[in-house]
Amino acid sequence: MVRLANFQDVLGRRFGVVNFPDSLADVARELPNLPKTIGELLPALDDWRMRLNAATAVAPRLALKDVTLLAPIESPRHFFAAGLNYADHAKEMGIALPTQPRLFIKLPGTIASPFGSVRHPGFSDTLDYEGELALVVGRTCRDVAEKEARQYIGGFMIANDLSLRALVNQDTLVLGKGCDGFAPQGPWLTTPEEVPDPRALRIRTWVNGELRQDGSTRELIYGPEALLAWCSRGITLSPGDIISTGSPPGSGHGMKPSRYLQPGDRIRIEIELLGAIENIITPF
């Protein structure tokens, strides 16, 4: 049905509906009682569908080039990420497939906009990219069965799980994955009906125009439903919570020799049906 984009212009911050190649519908102008954030809208989205569709048809259109797109979910209550979740990536690394999801937490401060800059942290020269499919929880849930998990997914988006490879170990993982801006995401939230099979999406990452990752979500060991079910075991998930599903092969760390990100590098990630995000690394 919809692609929901957070954005900012001279009138302030709000969200709109992206349904044209290069513009969005400023539905907030037509719906004064619309929830203020995408996370607040998600649990009531079914109730708002008809009004959103009607507003989209008549609302002012804003060119995407004239607004600043923001992260679709700026303040998740939980932000989980899966590691080593692509079969071809595990093979590339020479590591046995995990027998259960391997999760870690991304800190709230990692969230960055889909086309903004990310400052290199400066204290390690092992900054790396990971293009990923992320899902957003749409309804409050806990202890969800995998076969029922789809109904709790509010949408999908692109994420870049930036990492300092030298610090990705059990003692320093928080620093290795949690620096400011280490999770650009977007460009908008695509609702599930626009993604018939989230395990059949091509995912590609370029660095300075060089294709580095070219994979498919069919290689996911644990798909979105399995990960949501696993994350909800004993943990109440809330609308707007994020679960990033892991990255295919082709990271800079896995190259021979390793090629890490430097200030000035530009990373572009595209996922079929979901659009693209692009960020530049700036100096410390």
Side-chain angles (χ1 to χ4, degrees):
M1 167 214 161
V2 292
R3 293 173 174 86
L4 300 168
N6 263 340
F7 70 97
Q8 182 170 343
D9 64 5
V10 294
L11 297 179
R13 301 162 71 101
R14 55 202 184 280
F15 68 87
V17 175
V18 178
N19 63 344
F20 313 103
D22 56 1
S23 65
L24 59 81
D26 190 3
V27 293
R29 297 199 205 180
E30 301 296 322
L31 300 169
N33 295 322
L34 189 69
K36 298 303 182 185
T37 69
I38 293 173
E40 292 173 352
L41 173 69
L42 286 176
L45 183 56
D46 287 343
D47 296 332
W48 279 94
R49 282 182 191 275
M50 291 184 64
R51 282 173 286 178
L52 276 173
N53 286 336
T56 298
V58 299
R61 296 186 185 182
L62 304 177
L64 292 177
K65 66 179 180 61
D66 293 334
V67 304
T68 299
L69 289 178
L70 308 172
I73 305 294
E74 296 186 285
S75 301
R77 185 165 176 261
H78 298 106
F79 188 169
F80 299 96
L84 201 68
N85 196 33
Y86 276 75
D88 48 1
H89 179 47
K91 181 179 179 180
E92 173 191 51
M93 302 297 286
I95 300 174
L97 299 185
T99 57
Q100 62 186 33
R102 299 176 61 176
L103 296 178
F104 56 91
I105 300 295
K106 298 284 280 190
L107 298 177
T110 60
I111 292 174
S113 64
F115 297 102
S117 61
V118 177
R119 189 173 70 168
H120 196 294
F123 58 85
S124 172
D125 61 359
T126 60
L127 180 61
D128 203 3
Y129 54 86
E130 290 186 299
E132 304 197 2
L133 170 69
L135 68 92
V136 175
V137 177
R139 296 163 50 200
T140 301
C141 59
R142 175 178 162 157
D143 297 321
V144 175
E146 181 176 345
K147 64 182 180 180
E148 299 172 352
R150 177 79 174 183
Q151 64 184 296
Y152 295 101
I153 296 176
F156 298 95
M157 60 185 181
I158 302 168
N160 186 355
D161 175 24
L162 289 164
S163 311
L164 294 172
R165 292 296 186 181
L167 301 178
V168 179
N169 59 66
Q170 62 181 3
D171 296 323
T172 57
L173 186 61
V174 170
L175 282 176
K177 294 285 191 177
C179 293
D180 290 351
F182 268 27
Q185 57 183 250
W188 38 71
L189 182 75
T190 301
T191 52
E193 59 270 30
E194 299 286 343
V195 188
D197 185 358
R199 301 197 66 165
L201 303 176
R202 188 179 186 186
I203 176 171
R204 292 179 289 176
T205 301
W206 292 262
V207 177
N208 300 326
E210 176 189 2
L211 183 62
R212 296 280 188 89
Q213 293 182 296
D214 190 355
S216 171
T217 56
R218 67 173 176 269
E219 293 287 342
L220 283 168
I221 300 169
Y222 298 100
E225 293 86 354
L227 290 175
L228 187 149
W230 184 265
C231 291
S232 75
R233 299 176 73 176
I235 299 173
T236 300
L237 302 182
S238 301
D241 283 353
I242 299 168
I243 304 174
S244 199
T245 63
S247 188
S251 67
H253 182 71
M255 302 178 75
K256 306 296 183 185
S258 297
R259 296 170 64 184
Y260 298 116
L261 297 172
Q262 304 296 326
D265 285 347
R266 188 176 296 273
I267 308 98
R268 180 179 178 85
I269 303 168
E270 292 184 5
I271 298 182
E272 187 178 1
L273 301 181
L274 304 185
I277 65 174
E278 187 170 316
N279 303 93
I280 190 169
I281 304 300
T282 58
F284 175 68

